[in-house]
Amino acid sequence: MGDSNQMIFIVDDDQDIRTSLTRALTQRGFEVEAFASGREFLAAYDGEQAACLVLDHGMPGMSGLELQALLNGQGSPLAVVFITGHGGVPESVQAMKAGAVDFLEKPFRQSVLIERIETALEIASAKRCALEMRRALQARFNRLTAREEEIVKRMLANPAEVSSKEIANSLGISPRTVDHHRARILEKLEIRSLVELVDLVSKLRGDSASAPL
């Protein structure tokens, strides 16, 4: 698959639609790859590339909404523009709630699709940057030992009141040992204070409370 920031993936079981959209978008300078089904697309997509996915809603087998849900679950940096010949209000609402840029009914004006694609490419780029930032932050946390990670969790449980003495009592170790661990934690995470630690974990978790730490 291409590496262009103008990458568009088309997934539609209608060959005429795939051909016409591929031709039109390529002529406008986009890099385009088209697939006849969600399964075909998943077999080729590496899960990493930021791009716009122009996705048909009503396909046999895996529907567009099912593919969108799967990609969301994988944390894909794609931004989706739905196109459909027979989608209803419930489907469009579901798609938009799941993060779709738009839900366009066929036939649609090419200019409208281009506008939505350009928006989608900007969103995909931002998603990719956020993904890379979270990975870089997680790499810092991966430096921690099991004991250091345990102390971090206790520090985060009640940042306003936690002390080395309280942590030491709960873990059955000396406050001096806790102080040593805390210094190492700040060093490994490349931060200088508990406030920065809280901010770092917030960025790492993003919208997911179940993220590491």
Side-chain angles (χ1 to χ4, degrees):
M1 290 190 167
D3 297 322
S4 170
N5 290 331
Q6 298 293 300
M7 189 70 207
I8 301 172
F9 299 126
I10 299 170
V11 179
D12 196 311
D13 62 316
D14 188 324
Q15 183 174 346
D16 290 339
I17 293 291
R18 295 197 306 273
T19 300
S20 62
L21 284 181
T22 298
R23 182 184 300 113
L25 295 173
T26 300
Q27 289 175 349
R28 288 179 173 266
F30 295 105
E31 185 174 352
V32 183
E33 293 186 25
F35 304 88
S37 70
R39 298 294 181 191
E40 183 181 322
F41 169 72
L42 290 172
Y45 180 57
D46 62 10
E48 297 285 328
Q49 187 171 8
C52 171
L53 174 59
V54 177
L55 179 59
D56 182 24
H57 160 255
M59 296 183 293
M62 177 183 288
S63 72
L65 290 174
E66 289 171 336
L67 177 56
Q68 180 192 32
L70 181 60
L71 292 169
N72 283 348
Q74 295 175 346
S76 163
L78 293 173
V80 179
V81 176
F82 273 97
I83 56 176
T84 179
H86 47 75
V89 172
E91 291 80 9
S92 64
V93 170
Q94 182 179 344
M96 299 300 287
K97 283 185 176 180
V101 175
D102 208 338
F103 198 91
L104 304 177
E105 292 188 18
K106 303 172 185 175
F108 46 79
R109 295 200 308 275
Q110 191 178 110
S111 60
V112 173
L113 177 61
I114 296 296
E115 179 183 326
R116 301 302 187 269
I117 285 173
E118 290 174 344
T119 298
L121 289 170
E122 293 177 1
I123 293 172
S125 179
K127 290 171 71 173
R128 178 64 188 177
C129 288
L131 177 61
E132 290 176 349
M133 182 192 74
R134 286 195 298 273
R135 286 178 174 172
L137 294 180
Q138 185 59 55
R140 294 194 212 173
F141 280 98
N142 290 343
R143 302 170 186 168
L144 302 179
T145 65
R147 175 65 85 184
E148 289 166 350
E149 185 174 331
E150 186 175 11
I151 290 173
V152 166
K153 290 178 179 178
R154 292 179 183 272
M155 292 167 66
L156 293 171
N158 194 352
E161 299 180 8
V162 71
S163 69
S164 292
K165 183 177 181 179
E166 290 167 333
I167 294 175
N169 289 337
S170 66
L171 296 179
I173 57 179
S174 71
R176 179 174 295 182
T177 299
V178 174
D179 286 338
H180 173 74
H181 283 308
R182 292 178 78 147
R184 290 288 291 159
I185 288 166
L186 296 181
E187 180 183 347
K188 289 181 179 181
L189 297 183
E190 303 173 23
I191 55 177
R192 293 171 294 179
S193 67
L194 178 57
V195 172
E196 289 186 29
L197 172 61
V198 173
D199 182 60
L200 204 66
V201 172
S202 176
K203 290 177 179 177
L204 177 63
R205 287 177 172 170
D207 295 330
S208 176
S210 63
L213 293 174

